[in-house]
Amino acid sequence: AEYMGHFLSVYFFSPMHLFWLLAIGHLICIQADYYQDLDLGEDASDSEIKKNWRLLSRKLHPDLNPSSDAKDKYQAVQKAYAVLGDRKQKKIYDMMGEEGLKNLAESQQRGGGRRGNDIFSQFFGGGGQDDHKGDEIMMNLKVGLADIYNGAIHTVTITKQKLRSKQVVKDCLKCKAQPPRMQKMQIAPGFVVQQQVPPNCDNQCGAGSRQVIPNSQHVLEIQIEQGIPEGHEMLFEMEGDEWPDRLPGDLKFRVQAAPHPIFKRKKDDLHMILKISLLESLVGFSKSIQHMDEHLVTIERQAVTPHGHQKTMKGEGMPKQDIPSEKGNLVVTFEVDFPTTITAQQAQQFKALLP
């Protein structure tokens, strides 16, 4: 008699698959274009977003614009800036559109104000953790000491992988939301089971590698605060490579002060070397130097100044971080520029003058 093997079929949906199905059920067409509401393209910088928001707010304010549609346009501008002016919401909108923001708000209401990253990661199977997130990238940022003293905005162009459109993530979600593919597997002679196989997320599908721009230029504006310390790290969440099936990794910049021709920083203090002549070291002097914000600092001595002598100028150092009105000190080290040769007559004159 011919032996017939026994087959056992197992069909079930994991909680994650149910999540994908529910998520896809909420996906609808994007009804708003926040960049268009601000008269901008999707590559607009943070300063351009703020600039257009201010201009359009003045132009469309109902108290200043009597047109019939001014109020609606004004409200659209405010709503657009509320999203694009917030780095985290902007990233969610850039990747998933308005529906991603809607799902974020609903999740926050259910979760009692959980962090946006935790909730956004649920879309990628993270379960509230960052286990489906790209790698963190650390970059050194050379900053002029004058920019740290005065404060500045640095514009940095980075090259990264970017999704072609917001639809790419939705396509990936649809793939993951499909019932698990079943595959037969023999576990013993005569016994074959069917087990579920997860979606093949090798990024080679229509929502994968063909839907990303590999070397996209992206501009970041980095605010350099006055007195920011050496080695300070600035976090740009989710600014790494974009993928259709995971969170972008974070981008960090580590501040490194570039050498200055006059000043050297030591925490909140500045140090400098001031060369004086032998005559000035003996009879005194008054000199003015231009500080990094172009105000003049007068350094003077009425007494003998030995080589290597130091003078502390209070309040002329670096601004203190978070309290820029308070400053450290400027420590001036004097170097006497001795002549390399003197004549015999000059030597006799010195002997007559000095004991």
Side-chain angles (χ1 to χ4, degrees):
E2 183 179 358
Y3 178 83
M4 299 295 293
H6 300 281
F7 290 84
L8 174 63
S9 295
V10 181
Y11 294 93
F12 62 90
F13 292 94
S14 68
M16 184 54 64
H17 286 100
L18 291 176
F19 171 81
W20 291 123
L21 290 170
L22 291 174
I24 296 305
H26 284 287
L27 292 176
I28 59 174
C29 295
I30 298 173
Q31 297 178 349
D33 188 330
Y34 294 140
Y35 289 98
Q36 184 176 335
D37 290 338
L38 291 177
D39 290 339
L40 293 168
E42 292 190 0
D43 58 348
S45 65
D46 293 343
S47 60
E48 290 172 333
I49 290 172
K50 181 177 287 188
K51 177 182 177 181
N52 276 32
W53 167 66
R54 288 175 173 171
L55 291 173
L56 291 172
S57 293
R58 288 195 295 266
K59 178 181 177 180
L60 298 171
H61 198 285
D63 292 343
L64 304 175
N65 192 325
S67 62
S68 58
D69 59 349
K71 182 178 179 180
D72 291 340
K73 290 183 177 180
Y74 177 81
Q75 291 176 346
V77 167
Q78 303 312 309
K79 183 178 180 181
Y81 184 71
V83 173
L84 300 183
D86 181 277
R87 187 175 297 277
K88 188 172 294 184
Q89 291 192 65
K90 178 178 181 293
K91 175 57 64 175
I92 295 174
Y93 175 73
D94 286 345
M95 292 191 66
M96 297 195 67
E98 194 175 19
E99 194 63 24
L101 297 172
K102 177 183 176 182
N103 289 334
L104 171 65
E106 291 175 352
S107 297
Q108 287 176 328
Q109 290 176 357
R110 293 192 302 268
R114 295 166 61 189
R115 295 191 310 115
N117 257 8
D118 293 339
I119 296 162
F120 189 37
S121 67
Q122 292 180 13
F123 290 104
F124 298 90
Q129 303 297 325
D130 286 346
D131 52 350
H132 284 68
K133 187 173 183 177
D135 294 334
E136 179 181 282
I137 300 174
M138 176 71 74
M139 301 178 67
N140 292 325
L141 180 66
K142 284 282 188 181
V143 182
L145 191 60
D147 285 343
I148 298 177
Y149 182 89
N150 295 302
I153 294 178
H154 275 224
T155 299
V156 178
T157 301
I158 62 173
T159 301
K160 68 177 184 179
Q161 177 173 282
K162 187 176 181 180
L163 298 180
R164 292 190 182 277
S165 71
K166 300 178 180 68
Q167 186 62 37
V168 174
V169 175
K170 294 183 179 183
D171 290 343
C172 189
L173 291 177
K174 290 177 183 178
C175 174
K176 287 190 175 184
Q178 297 299 317
R181 181 168 57 88
M182 306 308 294
Q183 177 176 298
K184 294 180 181 180
M185 175 177 288
Q186 183 173 338
I187 60 174
F191 287 89
V192 178
V193 299
Q194 290 194 87
Q195 65 176 9
Q196 69 177 22
V197 179
N200 182 22
C201 295
D202 59 1
N203 298 305
Q204 298 300 317
C205 65
S209 60
R210 294 193 298 274
Q211 293 296 332
V212 297
I213 304 172
N215 294 307
S216 175
Q217 299 292 310
H218 185 62
V219 177
L220 288 177
E221 292 181 345
I222 304 176
Q223 179 70 48
I224 306 299
E225 298 178 354
Q226 286 182 277
I228 194 169
E230 179 78 11
H232 180 77
E233 295 179 358
M234 291 177 287
L235 174 66
F236 286 76
E237 293 183 291
M238 298 184 288
E239 285 295 349
D241 287 334
E242 296 179 1
W243 301 89
D245 62 345
R246 76 197 70 169
L247 280 167
D250 296 334
L251 184 60
K252 278 187 177 180
F253 289 95
R254 182 186 291 117
V255 174
Q256 292 184 341
H260 191 273
I262 298 175
F263 302 103
K264 183 177 181 179
R265 182 184 188 181
K266 292 184 179 180
K267 296 185 177 179
D268 290 333
D269 292 337
L270 290 172
H271 290 248
M272 65 166 292
I273 294 174
L274 183 63
K275 291 183 178 294
I276 57 175
S277 67
L278 177 58
L279 177 63
E280 289 171 329
S281 75
L282 295 173
V283 303
F285 59 89
S286 179
K287 292 176 177 290
S288 293
I289 62 166
Q290 189 177 66
H291 214 310
M292 289 182 283
D293 61 353
E294 298 185 353
H295 83 274
L296 295 179
V297 179
T298 300
I299 304 171
E300 55 186 4
R301 290 270 300 171
Q302 301 301 325
V304 173
T305 305
H307 180 80
H309 180 77
Q310 290 186 329
K311 181 174 183 177
T312 299
M313 312 286 292
K314 292 188 178 297
E316 292 292 354
M318 290 295 295
K320 296 183 179 180
Q321 189 184 24
D322 301 326
I323 318 175
S325 59
E326 297 183 10
K327 293 181 173 67
N329 300 322
L330 171 62
V331 180
V332 183
T333 301
F334 300 102
E335 286 191 355
V336 180
D337 189 11
F338 291 96
T340 56
T341 59
I342 58 174
T343 65
Q345 182 181 0
Q346 289 171 331
Q348 291 300 320
Q349 290 174 337
F350 273 115
K351 290 179 181 179
L353 289 172
L354 299 176

